[in-house]
Amino acid sequence: YQIEADIAPFRGLLLGLFFVTTGFSIDLPLALASAPAVVGLALALHLSKTAIVAAICTANQMKPAAALRSGLLLSQGGEFAFVIFGLAQTHGILPVGQVKLMLTVVVLSMFLTPFLNELGASLSTRLEKARGGLVLQPDSEDIDKGEYVLVCGFGRVGQAVCELLTARLVRYKAFDMDPYRVAEARELGLPVFYGDACRPDVLRSFMSDEAQLTSVVVTLDDERSCTKAVRALRRQYPTATDMPIFVRAVNEQHRRKLAASSATALETGPEESALMLGGALLASLGTPKQEVLSLIDDMRASMFTDRMSVIRDSFVERKPRGKKKAAKEKRPDGGVVDVAAAVVPPAAAEGEPPPAE
């Protein structure tokens, strides 16, 4: 996705320049006067190259349908023909009129390529059906059409988030700008891709119409990168209802800035590192292991009480994005009980012990 977004502007520019120069090389009066010869040579070029490529593919144990379609796709004249014919004209090997005629044939073969692609798909499908087989042409993006979470950043925090999602069997896809980290993740079979989540064109390239994103998590280390990523996502999805965004904030000021963009921002700060360092120090001073762990748990609970309220509030404020309705049961007296609300009592949600039965 990153490479596609990087080369997209240059691709359009170079393709336009190529076809403009190609169009100028065509002699229209000569092409019209020699129309039968041009069409005949173009068809001969397609037929000969299709036969050669299909034979090579068949010799390499490809299916006949795939070999036929490959031959039709590769049957057009290549760009190198312009170089060869130009050199032949320069050195006097071919006359000018013949060079222009051959260039017209090559351009016509390029023009016919999209139609030959459709023809090849149709013929290969019919051939496979006639042989009792199936034509399977899956697209890599069509394989995963289920709902998933997008994780922007696959560092330590991003990996921890992905592990939580995996533990709950929630599908995810992740972006990261470190090619070595991405390569290591891909070797482990993880859905991690190289790309800059701060760039809207990369996000647009990744978020196709078939993509079913449920939410986005931004775990980038840099404050500026986090802000740019959230703003790029908000241009794609203007409101929190369209797409929930969860962000790792650097500090309280950064958290307020991200919250202004309708993002759920959480600022962890250095507290966790302080707990780990303090625990290691106490252990080195001879404090019993259980006492150190208990003390760290108590300190963590007191430090993160306010921040955990953000998570509790999100269950109340945010509505589910799916179409499933909450499960309900009938009471014996004819009333209705909300099963989701009955599972966790309000007292338990606030951290109080459940009432004794």
Side-chain angles (χ1 to χ4, degrees):
Y1 303 104
Q2 178 71 27
I3 296 175
E4 180 181 352
D6 286 339
I7 68 175
F10 304 99
R11 179 183 59 189
L13 178 63
L14 294 176
L15 280 176
L17 180 61
F18 169 75
F19 285 113
V20 167
T21 55
T22 301
F24 277 118
S25 65
I26 298 177
D27 190 344
L28 287 179
L30 178 63
L32 294 175
S34 307
V38 171
V39 175
L41 289 173
L43 292 177
L45 175 64
H46 282 296
L47 290 175
S48 59
K49 290 193 66 176
T50 299
I52 294 172
V53 174
I56 294 174
C57 293
T58 304
N60 285 274
Q61 299 181 350
M62 289 183 64
K63 292 184 178 181
L68 176 61
R69 191 177 185 190
S70 300
L72 289 172
L73 279 174
L74 299 176
S75 63
Q76 75 278 1
E79 297 83 353
F80 197 62
F82 297 97
V83 179
I84 295 296
F85 292 145
L87 291 175
Q89 180 182 348
T90 302
H91 293 283
I93 301 175
L94 292 176
V96 178
Q98 192 171 357
V99 169
K100 291 183 178 181
L101 181 65
M102 299 304 296
L103 291 178
T104 304
V105 172
V106 173
V107 173
L108 180 60
S109 68
M110 292 180 176
F111 173 77
L112 295 175
T113 301
F115 305 101
L116 293 175
N117 179 35
E118 298 296 329
L119 177 62
S122 177
L123 292 178
S124 60
T125 301
R126 294 179 182 179
L127 182 59
E128 283 293 327
K129 287 183 178 179
R131 297 176 65 250
L134 293 175
V135 178
L136 299 177
Q137 301 167 357
D139 191 341
S140 59
E141 294 182 358
D142 293 337
I143 296 175
D144 298 329
K145 283 191 174 181
E147 293 185 347
Y148 64 91
V149 176
L150 178 62
V151 181
C152 300
F154 200 67
R156 289 184 298 175
V157 177
Q159 292 176 21
V161 171
C162 292
E163 289 177 1
L164 289 174
L165 295 176
T166 303
R168 297 298 302 169
L169 301 179
V170 177
R171 297 173 64 251
Y172 70 89
K173 295 180 182 179
F175 273 162
D176 200 89
M177 282 295 292
D178 188 344
Y180 299 102
R181 185 181 299 161
V182 173
E184 292 176 358
R186 299 292 292 183
E187 290 179 358
L188 296 175
L190 300 178
V192 183
F193 305 93
Y194 177 76
D196 187 359
C198 302
R199 292 180 51 180
D201 49 355
V202 175
L203 294 174
R204 283 193 297 268
S205 174
F206 183 79
M207 297 175 182
S208 59
D209 294 336
E210 293 81 8
Q212 300 180 12
L213 290 178
T214 57
S215 56
V216 181
V217 184
V218 182
T219 62
L220 303 175
D221 296 328
D222 184 53
E223 176 180 350
R224 184 179 178 184
S225 299
C226 281
T227 306
K228 288 179 62 178
V230 171
R231 289 175 178 174
L233 288 165
R234 276 290 167 250
R235 282 192 288 269
Q236 190 86 1
Y237 302 97
T239 63
T241 306
D242 297 329
M243 181 62 62
I245 301 177
F246 300 86
V247 197
R248 172 195 180 190
V250 176
N251 49 45
E252 180 62 23
Q253 182 180 2
H254 187 216
R255 188 195 67 79
R256 291 195 296 267
K257 184 189 297 184
L258 295 172
S261 299
S262 302
T264 302
L266 297 174
E267 184 263 323
T268 56
E271 289 88 350
E272 191 65 27
S273 298
L275 291 176
M276 295 297 102
L277 289 174
L281 177 60
L282 291 175
S284 67
L285 295 177
T287 307
K289 176 181 178 181
Q290 293 299 328
E291 185 176 345
V292 172
L293 295 177
S294 177
L295 181 60
I296 290 177
D297 290 338
D298 293 339
M299 291 293 294
R300 183 184 288 113
S302 63
M303 285 180 176
F304 291 100
T305 299
D306 295 336
R307 293 164 190 172
M308 292 300 293
S309 64
V310 177
I311 300 178
R312 290 196 298 267
D313 294 341
S314 66
F315 288 111
V316 178
E317 296 175 359
R318 192 177 302 280
K319 297 180 180 180
R321 302 183 73 242
K323 297 182 180 179
K324 297 182 180 178
K325 296 182 179 180
K328 295 184 178 181
E329 293 181 353
K330 292 185 178 180
R331 297 186 311 198
D333 57 358
V336 178
V337 178
D338 191 338
V339 178
V343 174
V344 182
E350 298 295 332
E352 301 177 4
E357 296 182 355

